[in-house]
């Protein structure tokens, strides 16, 4: 695994239907497991700072628990507002370990 990937979680520890928040350096990241894939986005909602990892996940769509903005965790795109998105981070899985490379 290249140096810029950091081990952040075990696949088995990721719940279905919601996220898990992890910290890499100064960056809070929300991990989401969708089937056998894992996605990583910024954990802080761009609206008012809600915790996206605590929102319900349906398919690849997470709903912010504070005011229900919705984001596709695979793309970071806000479903209703094309101008709003969250940063996506690259994920790799080796064995049961999830690695994330933080995007700047
Ligand atoms: S803080 Fe996320 S929708 Fe308002």
């Amino acid at each position: 695994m290249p140096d810029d990937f950091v081990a952040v979680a075990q696949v088995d520890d990721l719940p279905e239907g919601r996220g898990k928040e992890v910290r890499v350096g100064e960056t809070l990241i929300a991990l989401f497991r969708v089937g056998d894939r894992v996605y990583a986005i910024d954990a802080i909602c761009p609206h008012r700072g809600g915790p996206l990892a605590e929102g319900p996940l349906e398919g690849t769509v997470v709903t912010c628990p504070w005011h229900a903005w919705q984001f596709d965790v695979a793309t970071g795109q806000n479903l209703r507002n094309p101008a709003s998105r969250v940063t996506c981070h690259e994920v790799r899985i080796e064995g049961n370990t999830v690695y994330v490379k933080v995007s700047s």
Side-chain angles (χ1 to χ4, degrees):
M1 189 62 57
D3 287 348
D4 41 7
F5 279 85
V6 178
V8 291
Q10 298 296 301
V11 175
D12 290 348
D13 291 340
L14 300 181
E16 295 276 1
R18 61 188 175 85
K20 177 182 172 71
E21 188 174 284
V22 297
R23 178 185 286 276
V24 178
E26 297 297 305
T27 306
L28 280 178
I29 291 173
L31 301 174
F32 296 94
R33 176 177 173 182
V34 180
D36 57 0
R37 300 208 54 177
V38 174
Y39 298 99
I41 61 173
D42 273 355
I44 298 175
C45 180
H47 179 219
R48 296 269 178 84
L52 292 177
E54 294 177 19
L57 181 72
E58 286 189 55
T60 59
V61 175
V62 65
T63 301
C64 179
W66 285 7
H67 318 98
W69 282 23
Q70 292 185 306
F71 298 90
D72 187 327
V73 301
T75 63
Q77 188 63 55
N78 183 313
L79 261 52
R80 296 215 185 91
N81 179 356
S84 171
R85 59 184 307 120
V86 290
T87 299
C88 294
H89 305 283
E90 202 176 329
V91 173
R92 290 194 188 164
I93 298 172
E94 273 194 7
N96 190 41
T97 304
V98 181
Y99 296 83
V100 169
K101 178 182 177 182
V102 177
S103 302
S104 50

